[in-house]
Amino acid sequence: MTRKTTKDQAAAENPKSDPTDDSNRIKDPDEWTTGSEPMTGAQASYLKTLSEQAKSPEAFEADLDKAEASKRIDSLRKETGKD
């Protein structure tokens, strides 16, 4: 006999399957386990674009790590009204 589980039961058993749970989606970049790795190509491209739009070319540095790139992206998004 198979047991049927409701959506609430499934969420209780696996909190990551709960679409209303935001606890695992937004983390402080300083707490990332991979934050000290070099920024990704996507981060570099977006940071470059945002720094140009914000007329802050000094915000882009090619040797940033993932965490610092994320923080700068967040800051520039606010500055350019994209957040």
Side-chain angles (χ1 to χ4, degrees):
M1 176 189 267
T2 60
R3 181 177 74 119
K4 284 189 172 183
T5 59
T6 67
K7 186 177 176 182
D8 291 336
Q9 288 171 323
E13 292 173 16
N14 182 1
K16 290 184 178 183
S17 68
D18 182 0
T20 63
D21 180 15
D22 291 335
S23 66
N24 66 341
R25 293 187 186 155
I26 301 173
K27 294 183 182 178
D28 183 346
D30 291 327
E31 295 177 10
W32 293 355
T33 56
T34 61
S36 61
E37 294 178 3
M39 70 176 150
T40 66
Q43 281 181 308
S45 175
Y46 193 40
L47 182 56
K48 180 75 169 161
T49 298
L50 286 172
S51 68
E52 290 169 354
Q53 291 174 350
K55 297 185 180 12
S56 299
E58 70 283 353
F60 178 81
E61 294 178 44
D63 62 344
L64 294 176
D65 63 29
K66 286 181 184 179
E68 184 59 33
S70 178
K71 289 187 252 183
R72 290 191 190 187
I73 287 168
D74 289 345
S75 177
L76 288 170
R77 282 183 52 81
K78 288 177 186 161
E79 189 177 323
T80 58
K82 297 185 185 313
D83 208 15

